[in-house]
């Protein structure tokens, strides 16, 4: 298993609905995870960081970390067309906790349909 | 883009020529990274630096070298460009230290085409 995996295909959601993205990770010692948003042709932008088990909310975004099940998720409430992008999950690389290396998932494309 | 610039933003070059990409930051972050992003592969780390003159290899370092002579600048050199190095290259920075030390911030990217 890769360090961080995003297995879902493209996600289409109607405007105003909730978009749900999931990411699994292999290292039980990982403490922190990140969600990046990447618009087509642009660079990844950090939108959520989560450092402890449970939920973290920021505006319409909620990140959830479940260490027992080794997954992290991102919920986008009241989805807007401007949320249409690829979302990347990232977590620390095992054995590299001291030098800030991250493993990235391949990303999930979200399309919000007006 | 968190005070990060990359130059050039676009470049077309020919196979066999050397190419240098520059990343410049104004955040005084200690760590700097070079990634490439390709369809189907996601973001892959090429090299990174954890201080001036301190660098290490990432997962796809063959054919690339880096240098960091100042905190603010991190250079990526393709010694002899090949078509397989056609990609989008991103620079990222981070500053170690809990609790937010692992956060990385990305530059705008350089689109490189090797003909």
């Amino acid at each position: 298993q890769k360090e961080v995996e995003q297995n879902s295909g493209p996600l289409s959601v109607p405007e105003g609905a909730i978009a749900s993205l999931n990411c699994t990770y292999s290292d039980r010692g990982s403490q922190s995870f990140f969600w990046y948003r990447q618009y087509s042709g642009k660079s990844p932008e950090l939108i959520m960081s989560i450092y402890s088990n449970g939920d973290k909310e920021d505006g319409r975004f909620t990140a959830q970390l479940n260490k027992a099940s080794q997954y992290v998720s991102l919920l986008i409430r009241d989805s807007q067309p401007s949320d249409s992008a690829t979302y990347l999950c990232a977590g620390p690389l095992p054995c590299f906790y001291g030098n800030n290396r991250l493993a990235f998932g391949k990303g999930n494309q979200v399309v919000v349909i007006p | 883009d968190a005070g990060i610039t990359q130059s050039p933003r676009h470049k077309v070059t020919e196979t066999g020529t050397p190419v240098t990409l520059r990343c410049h930051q104004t955040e005084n972050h200690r760590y700097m990274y070079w990634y490439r992003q390709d369809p189907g592969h996601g973001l892959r780390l090429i090299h990174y630096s954890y201080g001036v003159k301190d660098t290490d290899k990432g997962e796809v370092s063959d054919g690339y070298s880096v240098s960091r002579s100042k905190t603010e600048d991190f250079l990526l050199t393709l010694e002899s460009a090949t078509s397989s190095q056609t990609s989008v290259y991103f620079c990222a920075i981070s500053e170690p230290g809990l609790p937010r030390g692992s956060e990385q911030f990305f530059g705008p990217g350089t689109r490189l085409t090797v003909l």
Side-chain angles (χ1 to χ4, degrees), chain A residues 43, chain B residues 1-10 20-29 32-34 70-76 89-93 105-111:
Chain A
S43 60
Chain B
D1 292 325
I4 310 168
T5 56
Q6 293 185 231
S7 59
R9 295 292 312 280
H10 302 271
T20 296
L21 309 183
R22 180 181 183 238
C23 177
H24 178 79
Q25 58 141 333
T26 58
E27 305 295 320
N28 202 35
H29 281 17
M32 299 185 75
Y33 311 80
W34 278 108
K70 297 185 291 185
T71 298
E72 58 265 36
D73 290 323
F74 193 32
L75 303 181
L76 176 72
Y89 292 85
F90 291 106
C91 174
I93 64 173
F105 302 94
F106 285 81
T110 294
R111 185 172 295 275

Side-chain angles (χ1 to χ4, degrees), chain A residues 22-63:
Chain A
N22 291 310
C23 172
T24 58
Y25 61 93
S26 59
D27 181 48
R28 286 191 173 274
S30 296
Q31 301 287 334
S32 53
F33 292 89
F34 310 95
W35 284 99
Y36 288 82
R37 177 178 62 198
Q38 187 174 23
Y39 292 116
S40 180
K42 301 295 186 182
S43 60
E45 174 193 10
L46 180 65
I47 57 171
M48 289 289 284
S49 305
I50 186 163
Y51 297 93
S52 59
N53 222 27
D55 295 0
K56 178 184 176 184
E57 187 174 315
D58 184 0
R60 295 185 296 107
F61 296 98
T62 299

Side-chain angles (χ1 to χ4, degrees), chain A residues 36 38 43 49 51 99-100 106, chain B residues 33 37 48 99 101 103-104 107:
Chain A
Y36 288 82
Q38 187 174 23
S43 60
S49 305
Y51 297 93
N99 59 13
N100 285 25
K106 292 184 179 180
Chain B
Y33 311 80
Q37 188 175 40
Y48 67 101
E103 291 179 340
Q104 293 186 15

